[in-house]
Amino acid sequence: MKNLFFIFILFYLSIVSVNAQKRELRTANKMFERGELQQVKEYLAENASAFESADDKILNDLALLNGKIARLDRNYSKALEIIKNLESIESYSDQIRVMQDSLVNDLVNDAISANEDENYAEAAEKLYMSYSVRPDQLQDYLYFAASSAITARDTLTALQYYKELKEMKYEGIETLYFVTDKSTGEEKEVTASEYEIFQKSDDYENFRTEETESKYFEIVKNIGILYQQLGESEKALAVIQEARKENPEDLELILTEGNIYIQLDEKEKFLELTEKAAEKDPDNAIIFFNLGVVSMDLGEKDRARSYYEKSIELDPSYMNSYLNLTNLILEEDVEIVNSMNDLGTSKAENEEYEKLKLEREQLYLQCIPLLNKALEIEKNCGVIRTLQNIYTVLSDYPDEFRKYKEMYESECLTPDTE
């Protein structure tokens, strides 16, 4: 009989305890609903011992409340952790969905503000957390997080995010909606909901949709670039080559693979790939400039010259092509001067000397229009100095020598260097 009485007492105390826990929780929830955030935090702290023996249902209800408090407190990590712990419990699904929506909204707004303040690292972190709330649905935020990480120059974080995107074969393809206003004949882009509404209106026509390009190859390319930045060229090459198997004609992938070969000092492979890129983008002056640089490094001067000239033809304002072409031409000057210095004083050697002197002058005359064009693009002290030196040799042009000498002294010399 005593044992039965003892069991009854324990059962009674248990009921009292559960009722007390429920009462404390109801009180805390009402305080939260009234917006008394600080008060509810203090109240829960003061009554923490009341929940020490609580069952799972009460502990989960308490966790849900703490998750809401954490979100308003901007303790997003804690809120996310609580959501993850409760999302598999069916009875909480509706409340968890509301919490998820609120948390994502807060995180994205914070990320937008961080980007506007140029705090790109924080933006990347908040966007990644947004993705983590519903990884099966919010993959776009992972893509945006990777972009923010790149802007923040956080190479390792950006690489981690892009690798996740690659593993899930994220494409980020969007459907765009367009309608034409009958009164103006102008086409405009609209939202999906507007598109449906306008289809029922007599004021619009020519309804059409189009899909954006897949972002997958951009992601792979960025992984390759990031590996390059980390000095892991072999890994970069493997990633790009894998992508090119699926899309062998993609211009950006071709150029990226070529750039990796430059890092690996395999200039012939770079030349091969960049020439392929030039075939696909024949109006790109920078591609032809790069071909000129590598051809020059390989000692193929005629080939380099043709590439520099093509680059200038395509973009007459690209200064580097003028400078590199000038340097290529002036490489012959060294050989000519060495030959002149090796000559003696015999009649035949004097004739050879005059012949070499004329060749040298012809080289300089080729360079002058290139350097003047470069000077039109940008006032460059190195260019001015080179022109002054050229006219030092071309003694038949004293006025030009004086012009560039005075220009150099007025624009390039400070009182300390005079």
Side-chain angles (χ1 to χ4, degrees), residues 348-365:
E349 288 173 311
N350 284 338
E351 288 175 358
E352 180 65 19
Y353 183 91
E354 290 302 319
K355 180 183 174 183
L356 291 170
K357 180 183 175 185
L358 183 60
E359 285 183 22
R360 191 181 186 208
E361 289 175 355
Q362 290 301 313
L363 283 181
Y364 286 154
L365 290 171

Side-chain angles (χ1 to χ4, degrees), residues 31-96:
M31 293 171 74
F32 178 82
E33 289 165 7
R34 291 195 298 266
E36 299 170 356
L37 187 61
Q38 186 57 37
Q39 291 91 325
V40 73
K41 287 194 290 183
E42 292 172 359
Y43 182 80
L44 288 174
E46 291 168 2
N47 293 277
S49 60
F51 299 99
E52 288 177 357
S53 60
D55 61 22
D56 288 345
K57 176 68 172 68
I58 290 177
L59 288 175
N60 288 337
D61 286 345
L62 179 62
L64 188 68
L65 176 58
N66 278 321
K68 295 175 182 178
I69 293 169
R71 182 184 72 80
L72 292 183
D73 249 355
R74 305 173 78 87
N75 187 349
Y76 299 135
S77 297
K78 182 178 179 181
L80 181 58
E81 181 184 355
I82 290 170
I83 286 173
K84 291 297 179 187
N85 288 337
L86 296 177
E87 65 184 359
S88 60
I89 304 174
E90 189 175 347
S91 59
Y92 289 92
S93 59
D94 291 341
Q95 295 180 78
I96 290 300

Side-chain angles (χ1 to χ4, degrees), residues 59 118 155-156 158 176 184 232 249 253 260 313 385:
L59 288 175
E118 298 184 0
T155 304
L156 289 173
L176 306 179
T184 64
E232 299 185 48
E249 301 305 313
L253 290 174
I260 295 169
E313 177 190 328
R385 185 70 167 184

